[in-house]
Amino acid sequence: MKFNGFLLVIALLLFSCDEVTDNLLDEVIPEPDTLEVGIKNNTNYRFNRTEIISNNNTYVYQIIEPDAISNFIEMAFIYSEVELRIQTDDGYFSFSPSHYLEDTKVTKGLYYFEVNMSNNQTVSITRKTF
């Protein structure tokens, strides 16, 4: 019986710690009232210029080093995929989604697109959030 009580106390402490950690993270990285979007360069290339095309606008990110995250730019909305153009020292690369899924549209939060390239230099992107 004492062992069950001990397990209950440990479980409560763990859940309390998770809640405290979540509250601290919310204070350190509060969710913005707007939509802010960045790019994570998950390649070996240096991105000299990267453009996201969304809502009939072109948003320009300057130099993004390999394995780095860009600055964040405010946008009206994004879907799970966006049109993306990348200029590197080795050439130009792009990604264009075949369609946009309306149920993936977001207008608020802190998001970034993780950019990857395969050996044949095909660009793929994944939307992520903090």
Side-chain angles (χ1 to χ4, degrees):
M1 189 68 167
K2 287 183 182 181
F3 184 71
N4 287 340
F6 177 73
L7 287 177
L8 179 62
V9 169
I10 294 297
L12 288 173
L13 285 174
L14 288 174
F15 287 121
S16 297
C17 290
D18 284 345
E19 187 175 327
V20 169
T21 303
D22 290 344
N23 289 340
L24 286 174
L25 287 175
D26 287 343
E27 290 175 17
V28 173
I29 307 174
E31 185 173 324
D33 292 333
T34 59
L35 174 64
E36 296 180 31
V37 180
I39 297 172
K40 181 174 191 294
N41 179 355
N42 213 27
T43 73
N44 294 325
Y45 295 97
R46 179 181 193 220
F47 295 175
N48 296 324
R49 178 183 171 99
T50 306
E51 300 174 352
I52 287 181
I53 295 84
S54 177
N55 191 27
N56 294 324
N57 291 310
T58 301
Y59 301 93
V60 178
Y61 297 83
Q62 294 302 330
I63 296 171
I64 309 170
E65 297 293 339
D67 295 317
I69 294 181
S70 71
N71 59 321
F72 285 76
I73 297 177
E74 188 174 322
M75 297 182 190
F77 62 85
I78 56 169
Y79 295 94
S80 61
E81 296 181 328
V82 293
E83 185 177 348
L84 186 73
R85 291 185 229 149
I86 302 166
Q87 176 187 355
T88 69
D89 291 338
D90 296 332
Y92 292 89
F93 305 94
S94 64
F95 177 87
S96 190
S98 58
H99 60 282
Y100 296 99
L101 300 174
E102 193 63 33
D103 62 336
T104 67
K105 182 178 180 179
V106 292
T107 58
K108 184 178 173 183
L110 192 59
Y111 290 86
Y112 64 96
F113 286 98
E114 188 173 81
V115 178
N116 293 289
M117 280 191 215
S118 62
N119 289 341
N120 64 357
Q121 299 179 334
T122 300
V123 176
S124 66
I125 64 171
T126 306
R127 184 179 76 184
K128 298 195 174 188
T129 187
F130 287 97

